[in-house]
Amino acid sequence: MNFKKELAEVLHQALEGELASQNIEQLIEKPKNQDHGDLAFPCFSLAKLKRKAPNLIAQELSEKIQSPTFEKIEVVGAYLNVFLNKKLVAEQIINNIINEKGQYGAHDFGQGGNVTIDMSSPNIAKPFSMGHLRSTVIGNAIALILEKCGYKPIKINHLGDWGTQFGKLISAYKRWGDEEKVKANPIKELLALYIKFHAEAETNPALEDEGRGWFKKLEDGDQEAHSLWQWFRDESLKEFSRIYQLMNVEFDSYAGEAFYNDKMDRVVQLLEEKQLLVESDQAQVVELTEEELPPCLIKKSDGATLYATRDLAAAIYRKENYDFVQSLYVVGHEQSLHFKQLIAVLNKAGFEWADKMVHIPFGMMLKDGKKMSTRKGKVVLLEEVLNESIAMARHNIEEKNPNLADKDGVAKQVGVGAVIFHDLKNNRMNDIEFSLEEMLRFEGETGPYVQYTFARASSILRKAGWKAETALAAVYQTTWENEWKVISMLMEFSNAIKRACENYDPSQVAKYIVDLAQVFNKYYAEVKVLEESEEQNARLALVYSVTIVLKEGLRLLGIEAPEEM
Ligand code: ARG
């Protein structure tokens, strides 16, 4: 069903093998304006090759092409504008969608290869930030898209659950902590203790040593330190998992930084053996001068390991445990340097797989043009955002469709979907201006707009009592003229998925489903689908195909599609 390929093959034959069909395929374009055809082939490179005027070549080629798939060929200057046989192509596509359903648009180039995705990865005892929300949403969509392309995604929540700050937290809790308060409101309380610790340490520098001491104990496996840490971690995870549940995100592993505690000696040893460790200011570092990067700090003067050390251990562990073909890190662009250093150190240590590691950065979430931060006190901000969005969606339902059956369920699907779509619709590197009103609009490029289009199309099918099983025969009754714009969008689905996969860019899918929803809504406004006619069954088959693709597109972004809303 790849018509580009088919055209390339036909041209290849018409050219009697003068140009490899792969090269031809790369030259084939998709005209911006569909009135200029469905595909276009520019003859400039051929003109150079054959030393002949490009428009003459175009003319000659047009006369040689004979294929049922391509019903009309126009020569415009140096271009060959090719029109697909609408009936034939439409029938093929609709048939495919009806047969393949949710499988439509899939690829198999991933060949079952494991891809680890480091995503979400919040720091325990701290509020879940907007950055972590972005990482969760983007990582989840990338995982779904990779899976659609035949990879096996492994979602890893690399929790920030280790480091000197936990020594400080233990020390603060021992001094001022209250078990009941922490239990009632863990993240808020722990954060308050941490802040108090820093304030007190300003005038009492001995506290810093005490904190470091507790972390040392923790690293050495001290019972008391460990059980306090475990408790902080459990309580934090309870809060985080409420957010994950709201968003329907699950992980294959919660192996966070602490998990690598017993795997760090090996890393340090390995770097020593390769003679990469040097002393600098009493600390152990790997110099990265050739790579034009600052040195990577591996071990502090007191022997404590660092964020980077733990990431080195994690990278090696992931290779050994999952034998990944790619290892992705969905982390904000502030950490670009860290990942460059990480990859550089592993390269220096001779791990060829280091260049299968990819940092997938993203921009910031802004509110009124400023970075959105989770300030003191405002700790459940993120859950608040989701809940507010759900409440607003609930309110919309009450206004627009008060008789809807499962109002709460749908409000959740729409409210959460809106937040996710808003995050994914732009290139991930862009900063995003946060606006709930904007997210929840039913028009324009929003999640609810796509969901609403899906629900509307589903209701058309319900009203018509249409069944997919009886549809196949019906497909052959129309010319598909009016339907063509929708059909050619449906045809593009697998390309959008491929682009999204290759560039780790879910916005390709988000933009695609908005475009599909738009052409479909236009079609629906012009053509009376529910009116009895000879073509009704074929039209309903098209509506059905649109529902399949919209639903699958939303699913790939991690968004649900209510049948009614
Ligand atoms: N916990 C870190 C933070 O909040 C993000 C961890 C990203 N993943 C990693 N393997 N370093 O900044």
Side-chain angles (χ1 to χ4, degrees), residues 124 198 446 449 542:
I124 63 165
H198 279 280
T446 67
Y449 170 71
L542 179 79

Side-chain angles (χ1 to χ4, degrees), residues 118 121-123 132 158 160 257 307 311 329 331 335 338-339:
D118 186 307
S121 311
N123 302 319
H132 298 121
H158 188 78
E257 294 186 43
Y307 183 54
D311 254 330
Y329 295 82
V331 185
Q335 294 196 29
H338 166 74
F339 287 104

Side-chain angles (χ1 to χ4, degrees), residues 312-325:
L312 287 168
I316 295 170
Y317 176 83
R318 285 173 197 174
K319 182 63 198 175
E320 287 175 349
N321 199 43
Y322 301 110
D323 194 23
F324 57 70
V325 294

Side-chain angles (χ1 to χ4, degrees), residues 379-546:
V379 281
V380 279
L381 186 78
L382 221 91
E383 215 176 343
E384 266 170 30
V385 164
L386 289 169
N387 285 329
E388 218 174 296
S389 179
I390 294 170
M392 234 159 114
R394 182 78 169 75
H395 178 80
N396 285 349
I397 294 172
E398 215 57 72
E399 257 178 13
K400 292 186 177 132
N401 192 1
N403 298 322
L404 185 69
D406 176 20
K407 289 186 206 168
D408 289 329
V410 174
K412 183 185 163 216
Q413 293 177 322
V414 174
V416 174
V419 173
I420 298 179
F421 195 89
H422 177 69
D423 194 310
L424 295 178
K425 76 174 181 192
N426 295 306
N427 179 305
R428 60 182 152 71
M429 280 308 280
N430 295 353
D431 292 340
I432 314 182
E433 178 64 36
F434 180 86
S435 150
L436 266 185
E437 292 77 35
E438 169 68 29
M439 286 179 199
L440 283 159
R441 275 194 303 132
F442 268 48
E443 324 83 42
E445 301 173 2
T446 67
Y449 170 71
V450 179
Q451 286 174 319
Y452 180 64
T453 307
F454 169 79
R456 184 153 91 154
S458 302
S459 100
I460 298 169
L461 296 173
R462 275 195 307 274
K463 276 189 199 135
W466 191 81
K467 291 202 179 55
E469 304 80 62
T470 51
L472 282 172
V475 168
Y476 302 97
Q477 288 167 10
T478 188
T479 55
W480 303 99
E481 275 300 330
N482 286 314
E483 288 74 15
W484 186 242
K485 287 218 166 91
V486 183
I487 302 269
S488 49
M489 270 315 287
L490 291 173
M491 192 160 80
E492 277 302 302
F493 188 41
S494 75
N495 288 334
I497 293 170
K498 184 157 180 246
R499 280 198 306 275
C501 182
E502 287 170 347
N503 302 306
Y504 309 112
D505 179 12
S507 78
Q508 299 287 342
V509 173
K511 289 199 179 90
Y512 169 84
I513 50 177
V514 165
D515 288 347
L516 175 61
Q518 276 168 354
V519 293
F520 173 74
N521 284 325
K522 221 181 244 161
Y523 167 77
Y524 185 66
E526 282 162 12
V527 178
K528 304 261 170 304
V529 174
L530 280 173
E531 207 162 77
E532 292 246 359
S533 78
E534 283 215 328
E535 305 192 315
Q536 191 187 25
N537 257 317
R539 288 177 177 161
L540 289 171
L542 179 79
V543 176
Y544 175 73
S545 304
V546 170

